[in-house]
Amino acid sequence: MPLSLLAGYLLLMSLYPASFASHHQQRVNFRHFPRTSELTHLFSTNFTDYEALLQYLSLENNYSWRPRYLTSRSVLGWNWNKRNAGLNYTWPVKRVAVVEGDIILGGLMMVHEREDTQICGPIMPQGGIQALECMLYTIDWVNNQKDFLPGITLGGYILDDCDKDTYGLEQAVDFIKGSIRNIDDGTYKCPDGSSPIIRQKIISGVLGAASSVTSIQVANLLRLFKIPQVSFFSTSPELSNKQRFEYFLRTVPSDTNQAQAMVEIVKILNWTYVSILYEESTYGIKAFNVLEERLALNNICIAVKEKLTKDSGVASEGVYDKIVRKLLSKQRARGVIIFGSDQEVAGVMRAVKRNNVTGYFSWIGSDGWSARALVFDGNELQVEGTLSVQPRAHAVEGFDDYFLGLNVKNNQRNPWFIEYWEKYFQCKWINSTVTPYNQNYDKYCTGDEVMTYSNGYEPERQLQFVSDAVLSFAYAFRDMHRNLCGGKSGLCQRMNPIDGTELLKYLYKVHFTGLSKDEFEFSKNGDGPARYNIIHFKQVKPTSYQWVRVGEYRDGQLTLNLSQIQFRLYEKAMPSSVCSDPCEKGQAKKFVEGENCCWHCFNCTKYQVLLSETQCVECPLGFLPDYNHEDCIAIPELYMSPDSYWAIGALAFSTTGISVTVFVILVFIRYNDTPVVRASGRELSYVLLAGILMCYGMTYMLVQKPTNFICGAQKAGIGLCFAVVYSALLTKTNRISRIFKAGKRSARRPSFISPKSQLVICGALIGVQISITTVWLAFTPPRAIHHYPTREDNHVVCAASINASYMVAFAYPITLTLICTVYAILTRKIPEAFNESKYIGFTMYTTCIIWLAFVPIYFSTAEHVALNVTTMSVAISLSSTVTLVCLFTPKLYILLLHPEKNIRQSMMPQNKCGTLKNNTLIISSSARVESATQSDGKDFLFIMK
């Protein structure tokens, strides 16, 4: 009968998880359990004693209980593994660290490392044993506080997940056994007919797991039973989703913050081309997604991105060698971000050493491996220079002294401590459990060994989060007890058992100062405060390495003490990790195909600027690139200015001409009725002088900065002033010519020789120019424009001046000039008394010479604004001066210097015989002899040979 009870217990323990999984639709690997046929055969067999049962289970020819090769689990010490069936040890051995109490907290620790060929690997000193002991230490602290939980003790039930999500999920089944209420107790009966009593503690809350992927699996299980879970190392952003993980909290911040901190470090180091290694787990993949997004936002490219095997097993050394060679394929990407766990990163560092690339890469590490002895112990040269992001944690007060005081004799509650002790001192404890890792020790432990910093003790830097996880539950229990039990000693009915939903509410409200002296409270997503330390692994002196704090990241702001960072001993220079060096000023990028951060640089041309980092564009006309070819700078406008030397010279000439002209006008007015003035045709002389004044006045228009008004005045004025001058001259020469031609034919007076007629004729001639100018202005309105004779010039000119448009203004005056010249030639043989035509002829000849010289000079100096404008103004002034001097100097000479000649008789010089020269006889109808150009028009001259 006792054997039947034992077999029943075996059946219950074997099928219980499978039954539970089926009921709650959870995935369970049934290869882990004996088949039904095996159990049926077991219970149909009659065993006489325990030895017979054990003998049955170990028979070599009994394949029912033989292995499925280390993928099976151990139940009460029986290992269904064919390969190891003949060995005298079981691995792994399921152990539990138990602390009795009224309220039990579950704990899921990665006491052992992950192993591919076995369920569990070797012991994990820092993140495993130290984290477990920190949980126990904090439970002791809570229980030792007077009236913290009055009449209540806090207990623990701690399991090992071996850093595997599937194995961790199997272990976590123990946490929910006490919560199951739907087991039909009538199915099983004791010999006396009573129902069996299965004593299973109710787990009120769970600490763990350390790995994010394990926490996700366990959280999916615990939420079904409303058991709150607080992790101390799981940082995956996925766990912040309260729609999926409403009963999950953590004392560490989400990796979203950690990833952003890494990006900020990369930016400070001026890296733009980095590689990323991330573990093949929820922790690594989610963090990589955030990193990839944040790096892209900051224009930082990823050269190589490789997964580190995690969930699918343990990678071989050759896999790590391939990863290192892949990193080396992008030689300029020397900065590498590693988001992984210590075991995987240790494999990377070993591969770096094997491939002789120590010191080639600079690492930025995540909290999963930084400051872990498993990574840097023996790989110091490879890890040197690492900058790592760790959730900010301070030492748990008193823990180091507590832990260093432990030994195998005084620490019986930790079932894995002997294993840790054996690894730490490399010795075998007498009668300890046989493991795959303690068979090669050649000495025995005495138990009197002492752990010290000098002989290898390396404290885990993040134990604060373990302690805070325990305290968050403790403070939630305290607040819950005060509210529900009124502060009475012991557990009241309302807290027995504890409602997980209520407990979760109290957890979100906790706010306390932990054993690290840091304040703690959960965020709205159930995450810990986003506070990070930036730590740096440096060689402080030859062969002496330390992790030192060089900065912090808090509330989105990174503070980094660059003076403390040393990537290699005695080398302060920051390593470079860029695909291509920045282009120099005035250079654009041509990207390498398939690469966003690799490019070749090429120079923008002389007149181009950078439109974007990849494109050069020409500056518009009137602009030149600045020195750096970044902006187009306006070329200073070049135009004739009245205060320039050229303008001053032209204005001086013009002003002198105006003064002389005004003087002549005044003299003519003074002697208006004298024979000389009247004989010169005073009305046309005044018109002529007005035209000369206008010519001189054009200089003042030409030297002004061009505007639409100034350009209009120039277009109209240049042609008009010449038209006035040459219309008057043409009228004069025409009158003389007609008078003498008429005198040869008859004695009748020619028509239209009176002053009024002359003015009308002159006005008509001027009107033609006015009409031409009006039409011209209507069809081509005057405009001041920018003219660019060369790429580096910016002239402000009138539009008409840059082409042959001014010829429209000059065409008519030129025609008048040519006709005047012809008349001057035709009248060159008239008597001396009428030789004003000779002066007009000389004026025309000189004017033609001036303008023939002006045209080529004007067009050849088009690029020199000042010289060009000066040439035109001087040419106009010279033409006016020639006219003024040639036509009016003889008259001024008589009027001012020889007034005695200013009489009518002197106008007709005679020979000694009293007859006219050349036998020409002039007979006046009034018996008076006067000049043929006399202005009153009352007398008609007969000219006879």
Side-chain angles (χ1 to χ4, degrees), residues 88 170 358 363 418 431 436 447 571 576 736 793 893:
N88 61 349
E170 290 180 26
T358 297
W363 316 101
I418 290 177
N431 297 326
E571 293 182 14
S576 173
I736 294 172
D793 290 328
Y893 176 77

Side-chain angles (χ1 to χ4, degrees), residues 385-669:
T386 297
L387 281 169
S388 184
V389 180
Q390 274 196 341
R392 194 183 76 183
H394 294 107
V396 176
E397 185 178 12
F399 174 77
D400 285 338
D401 293 336
Y402 159 80
F403 190 82
L404 291 174
L406 296 176
N407 57 54
V408 292
K409 296 178 180 179
N410 63 13
N411 188 13
Q412 301 297 318
R413 62 182 179 179
N414 184 346
W416 298 282
F417 195 76
I418 290 177
E419 205 175 324
Y420 166 79
W421 196 264
E422 289 178 334
K423 180 175 181 178
Y424 188 94
F425 292 106
Q426 299 290 295
C427 60
K428 181 74 170 64
W429 180 249
I430 300 175
N431 297 326
S432 65
T433 302
V434 176
T435 73
Y437 308 102
N438 65 0
Q439 300 304 299
N440 297 323
Y441 299 144
D442 55 4
K443 63 178 181 179
Y444 285 96
C445 305
T446 64
D448 296 326
E449 294 86 1
V450 177
M451 292 184 293
T452 63
Y453 291 99
S454 60
N455 66 11
Y457 174 67
E458 183 74 29
E460 168 60 47
R461 292 173 176 267
Q462 295 180 299
L463 293 180
Q464 171 186 337
F465 302 114
V466 180
S467 179
D468 286 346
V470 176
L471 290 177
S472 65
F473 273 115
Y475 278 94
F477 291 142
R478 185 195 67 177
D479 297 340
M480 193 176 189
H481 183 265
R482 288 176 179 176
N483 291 339
L484 300 183
C485 300
K488 296 180 181 179
S489 180
L491 288 175
C492 62
Q493 190 66 29
R494 296 180 65 184
M495 284 187 66
N496 193 13
I498 292 176
D499 185 338
T501 303
E502 282 296 313
L503 176 59
L504 184 66
K505 295 178 183 177
Y506 284 99
L507 280 170
Y508 271 102
K509 296 177 182 178
V510 297
H511 185 281
F512 59 87
T513 300
L515 299 183
S516 60
K517 305 305 180 184
D518 282 328
E519 292 188 359
F520 178 85
E521 62 180 338
F522 290 107
S523 70
K524 63 180 181 180
N525 290 324
D527 300 329
R531 302 174 299 209
Y532 292 90
N533 283 331
I534 311 301
I535 59 175
H536 178 48
F537 190 66
K538 62 188 293 188
Q539 194 172 177
V540 293
K541 58 183 179 181
T543 70
S544 178
Y545 298 85
Q546 286 184 7
W547 286 96
V548 296
R549 181 178 180 273
V550 294
E552 69 172 1
Y553 180 80
R554 184 170 187 173
D555 299 328
Q557 297 295 321
L558 175 66
T559 303
L560 199 61
N561 187 353
L562 294 176
S563 64
Q564 292 294 316
I565 297 176
Q566 171 190 287
F567 285 89
R568 295 292 177 267
L569 185 63
Y570 307 129
E571 293 182 14
K572 289 289 187 179
M574 297 293 173
S576 173
S577 187
V578 295
C579 183
S580 299
D581 293 324
C583 292
E584 296 180 359
K585 300 291 186 180
Q587 291 185 329
K589 299 176 182 177
K590 183 178 181 181
F591 284 96
V592 177
E593 186 175 357
E595 296 284 356
N596 292 329
C597 284
C598 302
W599 58 78
H600 302 296
C601 298
F602 64 91
N603 293 320
C604 293
T605 62
K606 182 178 180 181
Y607 301 116
Q608 288 182 331
V609 294
L610 284 171
L611 178 63
S612 65
E613 62 178 9
T614 60
Q615 185 180 5
C616 296
V617 294
E618 289 275 347
C619 284
L621 293 174
F623 291 83
L624 289 175
D626 61 5
Y627 180 78
N628 295 324
H629 288 260
E630 294 176 345
D631 293 307
C632 290
I633 306 299
I635 302 173
E637 294 178 340
L638 184 62
Y639 52 87
M640 190 62 154
S641 175
D643 58 356
S644 67
Y645 293 118
W646 294 99
I648 291 171
L651 287 172
F653 188 8
S654 176
T655 303
T656 302
I658 290 173
S659 301
V660 173
T661 304
V662 171
F663 173 74
V664 172
I665 292 172
L666 293 176
V667 170
F668 264 56
I669 293 173

Side-chain angles (χ1 to χ4, degrees), residues 211-213 278-287 308 310-311 341:
S211 169
S212 291
V213 63
Y278 61 101
E279 71 174 37
E280 178 200 27
S281 68
T282 300
Y283 167 71
I285 293 173
K286 295 296 182 181
L308 303 175
K310 172 88 173 184
D311 290 351
S341 301

